[in-house]
Amino acid sequence: MRGKAKLNHLIVHLILLAGTIIVVFPFLWMILTSFKTNGEALQIPPTIIPTAWVTDAYSEIVTAIPFATVYMNTIISAVVTTAVQVAFCAMAAYAFARIEFPFKNIIFLIILSVLMVPGQIFLIPQYLIVQKLGLLDTLPALMLPNLFSAFGTFLLRQFFMSLPKELEEAAVLDGCSRFQIFGKIMLPLVKPGIVALVIFTAKFAWNDFMWPMIVNTSTDKMILGPALATLQGQYTTEYPIQMAGAVMAVIPLVVLFFIFQKQFIEGVAQSGIKG
């Protein structure tokens, strides 16, 4: 029996190792390609390890596009989108979880129905709204459609619903207002969910591609994804430059995850077991 358990243990670890390699290999390929010359990147059969490690791609990406401006646009868009969306979702989630008002369940079902509709359907209405507001080719246009999230509302609602009602009742007896109960008592208790939503939202805002590509046409008003896509030529593409830009683009998200990975994993795990 012990031998069989060890064999099963070994098989599980081999499967996990294979899965890890499959997931990590594209990321490693991106990093290694960024240190190749364009000729070596296009070589067939391909080479995994660069024969000569060069850093030209990292210096050329800065001149190929206004990289500093695009990077700052991405940071601003991600920070503002994340902060506003988390604030709106937290307030909406608290209202749906803890406050009784007419047609609450119906309104919540309508919000959830947005999750069942492909996001591409909203592109034309969103574009027309932004156009009417005169915000085309501006930074606010990048953020406006993403300031609220049905998923974020649902996620945080699960956390708020799990908190005991006695906390609110005690706070009311102490003379706390509704906003004080929300901000000083309830919100700190759903911190894992907040952190998880922050990471989800920041990742989406940082990696957003289709909407920024449609709404902003000037390179200096783009974020990283669409700006890097402009490096793809009609007849040839400088793959090392694109990979160098992608490496520099992914660093903040990797750092963000490693800083908050404990809270992120805890938040996702709790959201799955709390109803």
Side-chain angles (χ1 to χ4, degrees):
M1 293 296 292
R2 181 174 298 180
K4 184 177 180 180
K6 287 183 178 180
L7 178 61
N8 293 336
H9 190 73
L10 177 62
I11 293 174
V12 169
H13 278 75
L14 289 176
I15 293 174
L16 292 175
L17 178 62
T20 302
I21 293 173
I22 292 173
V23 172
V24 172
F25 183 75
F27 183 72
L28 293 177
W29 182 272
M30 176 182 70
I31 296 175
L32 294 173
T33 302
S34 68
F35 291 100
K36 297 178 182 178
T37 62
N38 195 51
E40 187 177 3
L42 296 173
Q43 181 178 322
I44 298 177
T47 58
I48 298 178
I49 306 296
T51 54
W53 294 74
V54 294
T55 58
D56 295 346
Y58 288 91
S59 57
E60 292 176 10
I61 185 66
V62 179
T63 57
I65 57 175
F67 195 80
T69 302
V70 170
Y71 214 96
M72 184 56 63
N73 292 345
T74 310
I75 293 174
I76 294 172
S77 175
V79 170
V80 174
T81 299
T82 301
V84 176
Q85 185 180 131
V86 170
F88 283 166
C89 289
M91 290 186 286
Y94 177 73
F96 283 118
R98 316 298 295 196
I99 301 175
E100 294 298 328
F101 55 90
F103 309 110
K104 181 178 77 171
N105 292 332
I106 295 176
I107 296 173
F108 184 67
L109 287 175
I110 293 174
I111 292 176
L112 285 185
S113 66
V114 175
L115 298 175
M116 306 176 190
V117 180
Q120 292 81 356
I121 291 178
F122 302 113
L123 289 177
I124 294 178
Q126 289 172 351
Y127 183 88
L128 294 176
I129 292 173
V130 171
Q131 184 183 45
K132 293 293 184 181
L133 293 174
L135 296 177
L136 289 179
D137 213 19
T138 64
L139 286 182
L142 299 172
M143 302 174 275
L144 194 59
N146 301 319
L147 297 183
F148 182 76
S149 166
F151 168 76
T153 303
F154 171 77
L155 177 69
L156 295 184
R157 176 179 174 270
Q158 301 302 102
F159 283 88
F160 282 120
M161 289 183 64
S162 67
L163 301 178
K165 294 182 179 180
E166 289 77 11
L167 290 173
E168 289 175 297
E169 294 172 354
V172 171
L173 292 175
D174 289 338
C176 292
S177 66
R178 178 65 71 177
F179 285 102
Q180 288 175 323
I181 295 173
F182 169 70
K184 295 182 178 181
I185 299 175
M186 309 300 283
L187 207 56
L189 294 175
V190 297
K191 182 181 176 181
I194 296 288
V195 172
L197 182 58
V198 165
I199 294 179
F200 279 130
T201 307
K203 175 181 176 296
F204 172 81
W206 192 271
N207 294 331
D208 199 8
F209 181 82
M210 184 175 294
W211 173 250
M213 177 69 80
I214 293 173
V215 78
N216 284 2
T217 55
S218 300
T219 307
D220 60 342
K221 295 294 191 299
M222 290 182 178
I223 59 175
L224 283 166
L228 292 176
T230 62
L231 298 175
Q232 184 171 350
Q234 183 177 1
Y235 301 107
T236 183
T237 300
E238 295 286 341
Y239 289 107
I241 297 179
Q242 281 193 328
M243 296 300 104
V247 170
M248 297 172 69
V250 80
I251 289 174
L253 290 182
V254 174
V255 173
L256 180 68
F257 175 77
F258 277 108
I259 292 175
F260 297 106
Q261 61 175 322
K262 180 179 179 181
Q263 293 89 339
F264 173 72
I265 295 172
E266 180 183 353
V268 174
Q270 289 185 9
S271 66
I273 62 175
K274 292 183 177 180

